[in-house]
């Protein structure tokens, strides 16, 4: 069986460029945008065909190590390529399986190997294909997570916009839902901006806030106390009847914090 695997591997390598070209043509027809990266993708496909072939000769531990290393390098590279997605790359996996499987079949018939040996070979090919997909996909998943994290950070930054209305006063409109990530950004960014702008007053407008629960109230109280410590007087606007009832129901109140029903009233107070 060892000699047969070596012979089959050599046969696949002999046809590596032809197989890669067939796959390239099919993928270009399926995804025309891939034509722009053909000079890079074609050699990568030749390399992958050879990887499949050489993997047939390796023991399991060596094979897994080789495929893991390839997947890390190739997956990381193509995950960052604009216009190429994971589903596009995985779409060609069945082509490798089909073409290489055909070579195995023909060589197996010509060599008159037993059905048990053929089963062993096709099983080995399936395992290699599965490992290729798995290790190639991991960097794509990691890259997407990284991009998502960056996007969430940007959105969080935009979710606590501070707008100056004069040299000593600014407005912080809170819109939407307050979660833990946004609460952290709120505490960190607002205090830095208050100090940087040397604010005397910061109007925190709650009229666009969708929910007011214990967590939100706690974050606001922490913010107000922190602002006071850096010399900025917090002023609250947008206290709707619903928000007021919620705060009362929670047994909370703003105490000494000056609050107003509308932003207009708050601006008039600090003017």
């Amino acid at each position: 069986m060892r000699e047969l695997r070596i012979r089959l591997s050599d046969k696949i390598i002999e046809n590596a460029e032809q197989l890669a070209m067939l796959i390239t043509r099919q993928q270009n027809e399926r995804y025309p945008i891939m034509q722009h990266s053909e000079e890079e993708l074609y050699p990568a496909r030749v390399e992958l065909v050879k990887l499949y072939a050489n993997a047939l000769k390796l023991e399991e531990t060596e094979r897994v190590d080789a495929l893991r290393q390839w997947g890390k390098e190739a997956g990381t590279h193509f995950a960052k390529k604009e216009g190429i997605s994971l589903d596009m790359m995985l779409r060609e996996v069945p082509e490798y399986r089909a073409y290489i499987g055909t070579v195995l079949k023909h060589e197996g018939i010509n060599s008159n190997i037993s059905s048990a040996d053929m089963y062993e070979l096709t099983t080995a090919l399936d395992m290699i294909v599965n490992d290729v997909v798995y290790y190639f996909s991991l960097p794509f998943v990691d890259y997407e997570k990284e991009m998502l994290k960056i996007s969430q950070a940007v959105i969080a930054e935009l979710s606590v916009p501070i707008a100056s209305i004069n040299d000593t006063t600014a407005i912080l409109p809170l819109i939407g839902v307050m979660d833990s990530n946004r609460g952290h950004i709120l505490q960190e960014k607002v205090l830095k901006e208050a100090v940087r702008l040397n604010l005397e007053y910061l109007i925190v407008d709650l009229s666009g806030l969708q929910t007011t629960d214990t967590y939100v109230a706690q974050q606001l109280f922490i913010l107000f106390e922190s602002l006071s410590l850096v010399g900025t007087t917090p002023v609250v606007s947008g206290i709707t009847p619903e928000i007021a009832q919620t705060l009362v129901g929670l047994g909370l109140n703003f105490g000494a914090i000056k609050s107003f029903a509308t932003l207009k009233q708050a601006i008039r107070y600090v003017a």
Side-chain angles (χ1 to χ4, degrees), residues 46-56 66-67 70-71 128 132:
V46 174
E47 178 188 353
L48 180 54
V49 173
K50 293 179 179 179
L51 181 69
Y52 276 115
N54 287 321
L56 284 171
L67 296 180
W70 170 83
I128 293 170
V132 164

Side-chain angles (χ1 to χ4, degrees), residues 215-259:
Y215 175 78
V216 174
Q218 181 183 21
Q219 292 299 309
L220 292 175
F221 279 120
I222 293 174
L223 176 62
F224 296 156
E225 290 178 0
S226 300
L227 285 170
S228 299
L229 290 176
V230 298
T232 299
T233 300
V235 177
V236 181
S237 67
I239 300 293
T240 64
E242 291 78 12
I243 292 178
Q245 289 175 2
T246 300
L247 293 174
V248 170
L250 293 172
L252 303 171
N253 63 76
F254 289 113
I257 305 299
K258 198 67 178 177
S259 59

Side-chain angles (χ1 to χ4, degrees), residues 70-81:
W70 170 83
K72 181 179 180 181
E73 295 175 359
T76 299
H77 175 75
F78 285 107
K80 299 177 181 179
K81 286 288 292 184

Side-chain angles (χ1 to χ4, degrees), residues 124-162:
L125 176 60
D126 286 341
M127 292 176 64
I128 293 170
V129 171
N130 292 339
D131 284 342
V132 164
V133 170
Y134 177 72
Y135 291 116
F136 182 76
S137 299
L138 287 180
F140 273 85
V141 175
D142 291 339
Y143 183 72
E144 289 299 322
K145 287 181 179 179
E146 181 182 349
M147 292 298 100
L148 178 60
K149 186 176 181 180
I150 293 173
S151 298
Q152 289 175 333
V154 172
I155 292 172
E157 286 284 338
L158 296 174
S159 68
V160 285
I162 297 178

